[in-house]
Amino acid sequence: MATNELPGIDGLFWWKDKQILVFVVCGRVFYASSLTGTPTEISSESMRLNINRKVHFAATDSMLFMANGGTILKWTGSGTLEKEATDLTPTYCNGLVIFQQRLLAVEENTQRIHLTEAIEEKDTSVTWKPTWFTPNSNRSEEHTSELQ
């Protein structure tokens, strides 16, 4: 197989709190606990990311979130991936960050920034707020106070 035919790496993340390397190849998610260890796949046929799109990661000490234009996937460091899907979760997410103990997610088509309630140290789930904002909007007091 020629070099230009090899699948590319869509994402690579060092989860410092768990001491785990997570990487995405062709939408499939793997982890390794050392550079010499055998990678373990944590995705399934129905729980994969998009292919050939940069993966965005955000982590707390107990949860790792990832997305690249579709559903946000979550992993707690054991078992397999889960969809982060509620009525308030952005459906097509292309950016993630943890900021002031909250997960912020950028919705791809609208560029709305959705956010969760504060995430505590050992939480293994998040609660999405019904509010959102955009970077260039005139934000209301409710939205402004969210990030202070």
Side-chain angles (χ1 to χ4, degrees):
M1 179 180 281
T3 304
N4 61 356
E5 294 176 11
L6 294 174
I9 294 178
D10 300 319
L12 185 65
F13 185 79
W14 172 246
W15 193 359
K16 185 178 178 182
D17 290 316
K18 298 274 189 186
Q19 297 291 293
I20 294 174
L21 178 67
V22 177
F23 56 98
V24 181
V25 178
C26 293
R28 296 169 63 188
V29 184
F30 300 84
Y31 82 92
S33 53
S34 74
L35 293 177
T36 58
T38 303
T40 302
E41 184 171 4
I42 55 174
S43 53
S44 65
E45 192 70 37
S46 64
M47 199 73 57
R48 291 187 177 165
L49 293 163
N50 292 318
I51 298 173
N52 295 325
R53 292 198 60 183
K54 178 184 175 186
V55 179
H56 299 268
F57 296 92
T60 67
D61 62 338
S62 58
M63 294 180 288
L64 174 63
F65 301 93
M66 57 196 86
N68 67 347
T71 303
I72 299 169
L73 299 182
K74 176 182 75 176
W75 188 48
T76 60
S78 64
T80 56
L81 296 171
E82 301 173 28
K83 286 184 179 179
E84 182 59 36
T86 69
D87 290 345
L88 300 175
T89 307
T91 306
Y92 301 104
C93 178
N94 68 348
L96 296 170
V97 67
I98 300 291
F99 180 71
Q100 296 182 352
Q101 293 182 277
R102 299 172 192 274
L103 175 62
L104 278 67
V106 179
E107 189 173 21
E108 186 168 68
N109 298 329
T110 64
Q111 297 304 297
R112 291 176 177 167
I113 300 172
H114 297 258
L115 63 155
T116 66
E117 297 286 349
I119 301 170
E120 300 302 323
E121 192 173 308
K122 299 296 178 191
D123 283 352
T124 57
S125 65
V126 294
T127 302
W128 289 90
K129 296 181 75 56
T131 56
W132 52 266
F133 64 94
T134 60
N136 57 1
S137 66
N138 292 325
R139 293 182 275 167
S140 68
E141 282 301 310
E142 177 184 6
H143 291 124
T144 303
S145 64
E146 294 291 346
L147 299 176
Q148 291 182 355

